[in-house]
């Protein structure tokens, strides 16, 4: 997953580069600056002394010393002064310049604290929006694993209005939870739940009957009035025919949808917050079975509506539940046609759910 949000102590995170929220002297301080200097050891300070300080919004690199990283990238965030003194642009530059510098150093992964949101007083929800904007802009044109490390859940604040909207959507959905639909289990075939097969086979044979080319020996498919069964026992379909008649796989559907969208593969997997390696695996293996988070990430990247999303999920054997918080939060964004995966992941993180992407 190119961009993830986690809680923890950044000095314990392994990455090619760890970013320090420093001050302009680069000679250490409190907060994450103090933690990084303590964990890295005193040699870090010796090297920092040679750097001659750093301007707000700029970034400079040192070795990682005792930290589990190759480089420590020191950047100086703006002090919050009410938001009218260019704080947003300076904070955006901190993230952007740190990412660019990490790229120049050949780093494939980088971890950030939420710069300026501690001692420098930047409101956490605003700082988060700037961080996500800078990181997603960079990832729209570059491949790098980026981790935003929140020291604690309390240092994470989702946009209040968004949080309230999601909460009421979840409450409404649970309140109107339809009684669990009986599985479409046929009395003659209690072992089978035909819902997904029916959709696939009806589509297949529906099309075949239209053009009059129902495969020889195939059963005549009819739907009984109470939807009880759609396979007529008289002429059972052979297993080969049944398997031959199955729908296109998840991977085949995904590639078709990407072609139809007009987006390139690169644009799609970057929008889906999926790394290049995983995408090539899915593209090269038509029977690849993705995780649900991965399948959903592509539905978001392709801006599918709810029915199209359900269809794509079904190809991988998943459905969207009306009772699971994770599913409801993703449903909320799809219904509202908000397809920014980085904002969706912030919401999922705020509600303690796993993120979407690989
Ligand atoms: N791991 C991850 N995040 C951390 C850690 C840690 N070990 N310690 C603190 N944080 C979080 C804070 O909760 C905050 O959300 O890092 C974010 C940035 O807080 P600060 O470290 O206070 O940095 P900042 O707000 O940018 O202020 C910089 O503080 O430490 C001094 O020398 C530094 O003068 C500079 C100023």
């Amino acid at each position: 997953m190119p961009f993830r949000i986690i809680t923890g102590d950044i000095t314990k995170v392994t990455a090619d580069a760890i970013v320090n929220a420093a001050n302009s002297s680069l000679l250490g301080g409190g907060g994450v600056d103090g933690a990084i200097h303590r964990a890295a050891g005193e040699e870090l300070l010796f090297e920092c002394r040679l750097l001659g300080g750093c301007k707000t919004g700029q970034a400079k690199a040192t070795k990682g010393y005792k930290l589990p990283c190759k480089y420590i990238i020191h950047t100086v965030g703006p002090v919050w002064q009410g938001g009218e003194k260019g704080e947003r642009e300076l904070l955006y530059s901190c993230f952007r310049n740190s990412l660019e510098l990490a790229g120049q150093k050949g780093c494939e992964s980088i971890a950030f604290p939420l710069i300026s949101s501690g001692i420098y007083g930047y409101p956490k929800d605003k700082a988060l929006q700037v961080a996500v904007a800078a990181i997603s802009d960079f990832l729209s044109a570059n491949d790098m694993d980026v981790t935003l490390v929140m020291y604690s859940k309390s240092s994470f604040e989702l946009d209040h209005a968004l949080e309230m909207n999601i909460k009421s959507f979840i409450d409404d959905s649970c309140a109107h939870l339809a009684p669990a639909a009986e599985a479409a289990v046929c009395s003659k075939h209690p072992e089978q739940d035909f819902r997904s097969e029916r959709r696939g086979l009806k589509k297949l044979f529906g099309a075949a009957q239209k053009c009059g080319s129902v495969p020889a020996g195939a059963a005549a498919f009819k739907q009984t009035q109470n939807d009880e069964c759609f396979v007529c026992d008289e002429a059972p379909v052979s297993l080969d025919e049944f398997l031959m008649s199955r729908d296109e796989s998840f991977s085949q559907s995904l590639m078709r949808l990407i072609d139809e969208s007009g987006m390139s593969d690169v644009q799609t997997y970057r929008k889906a917050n999926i790394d290049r390696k995983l995408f090539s695996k899915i593209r090269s293996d038509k029977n690849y079975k993705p995780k649900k988070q991965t399948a959903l990430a592509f539905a978001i990247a392709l801006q599918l509506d709810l029915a199209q999303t359900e269809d794509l999920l079904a190809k991988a054997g998943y459905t969207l539940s009306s009772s699971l918080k994770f599913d409801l939060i993703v449903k909320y964004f799809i219904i509202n046609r908000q397809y920014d995966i980085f904002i969706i992941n912030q919401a999922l993180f705020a509600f303690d759910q796993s993120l979407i992407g690989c």
Side-chain angles (χ1 to χ4, degrees):
M1 183 186 291
F3 176 49
R4 85 197 81 227
I5 306 173
I6 63 172
T7 44
D9 177 349
I10 199 166
T11 63
K12 305 277 191 296
V13 172
T14 300
D16 289 347
I18 299 280
V19 176
N20 178 24
N23 59 53
S24 52
S25 72
L26 294 188
L27 300 180
V32 74
D33 196 3
I36 284 177
H37 273 269
R38 282 191 298 278
E42 58 188 19
E43 288 179 281
L44 172 60
L45 186 56
F46 296 147
E47 186 176 355
C48 284
R49 284 201 177 109
L50 306 176
L51 293 177
C54 182
K55 286 202 179 86
T56 301
Q58 299 300 308
K60 291 188 177 179
T62 63
K63 290 198 285 287
Y65 298 103
K66 292 180 187 159
L67 281 185
C69 62
K70 292 178 195 155
Y71 301 99
I72 299 170
I73 292 181
H74 308 264
T75 188
V76 181
V79 175
W80 180 254
Q81 303 174 71
E84 304 296 319
K85 299 270 188 343
E87 295 98 316
R88 187 191 186 284
E89 292 68 28
L90 285 168
L91 185 57
Y92 184 98
S93 304
C94 285
F95 285 96
R96 184 70 198 204
N97 289 331
S98 299
L99 287 160
E100 300 283 5
L101 183 53
Q104 288 154 21
K105 297 278 184 187
C107 297
E108 292 184 354
S109 57
I110 185 170
F112 282 97
L114 191 56
I115 300 161
S116 280
S117 67
I119 295 166
Y120 281 1
Y122 210 111
K124 296 190 187 308
D125 60 334
K126 290 182 172 41
L128 182 67
Q129 283 163 14
V130 178
V132 170
I135 293 166
S136 54
D137 289 350
F138 178 82
L139 290 179
S140 65
N142 299 276
D143 286 325
M144 191 180 287
D145 280 345
V146 182
T147 303
L148 183 60
V149 185
M150 310 307 288
Y151 200 34
S152 65
K153 276 314 291 296
S154 62
S155 58
F156 180 91
E157 278 169 22
L158 186 65
D159 173 78
H160 184 66
L162 175 58
E163 186 167 3
M164 290 304 111
N165 289 341
I166 293 173
K167 273 196 174 124
S168 51
F169 179 79
I170 291 172
D171 297 344
D172 290 353
S173 305
C174 294
H176 300 115
L177 189 61
E182 286 304 307
V185 175
C186 159
S187 55
K188 291 186 204 129
H189 310 280
E191 75 289 353
Q192 285 275 339
D193 168 354
F194 285 104
R195 271 176 305 186
S196 48
E197 276 84 352
R198 174 166 45 233
R199 239 202 320 259
L201 290 178
K202 263 180 59 183
K203 208 187 297 178
L204 176 96
F205 283 90
Q209 278 149 4
K210 246 191 245 120
C211 68
S213 61
V214 178
F221 285 75
K222 64 180 171 60
Q223 193 138 357
T224 57
Q225 59 284 5
N226 61 354
D227 222 16
E228 194 185 45
C229 174
F230 66 99
V231 177
C232 156
D233 287 348
E234 289 71 53
V237 176
S238 73
L239 180 60
D240 286 349
E241 276 174 337
F242 188 80
L243 292 175
M244 182 203 71
S245 63
R246 63 189 172 152
D247 251 350
E248 60 183 357
S249 68
F250 170 81
S251 172
Q252 289 166 329
S253 293
L254 177 63
M255 296 311 139
R256 173 177 54 78
L257 289 166
I258 293 174
D259 291 344
E260 290 166 3
S261 73
M263 283 196 294
S264 66
D265 288 355
V266 176
Q267 284 170 319
T268 307
Y269 71 69
R270 281 180 176 157
K271 267 173 165 274
N273 197 29
I274 296 283
D275 65 29
R276 182 172 28 85
K277 292 181 220 90
L278 176 58
F279 181 80
S280 345
K281 231 188 268 178
I282 296 172
R283 172 173 269 289
S284 56
D285 174 3
K286 76 174 175 63
N287 297 315
Y288 185 86
K289 178 156 171 36
K291 290 190 297 190
K292 185 171 182 177
Q293 292 89 327
T294 304
L296 276 172
F298 283 111
I300 296 295
L302 291 160
Q303 303 199 357
L304 302 185
D305 63 28
L306 213 43
Q308 292 165 324
T309 299
E310 290 271 13
D311 233 28
L312 183 62
L313 282 178
K315 298 287 191 306
Y318 303 115
T319 59
L320 269 183
S321 148
S322 293
S323 56
L324 296 176
K325 202 176 272 190
F326 172 84
D327 292 32
L328 287 170
I329 292 170
V330 177
K331 259 185 179 175
Y332 167 83
F333 283 97
I334 292 174
I335 288 169
N336 289 287
R337 303 198 66 72
Q338 292 173 3
Y339 291 103
D340 183 332
I341 202 161
F342 298 105
I343 293 178
I344 297 171
N345 274 340
Q346 284 177 61
L348 290 167
F349 180 82
F351 283 86
D352 298 317
Q353 302 301 309
S354 51
L355 307 187
I356 52 179
C358 67

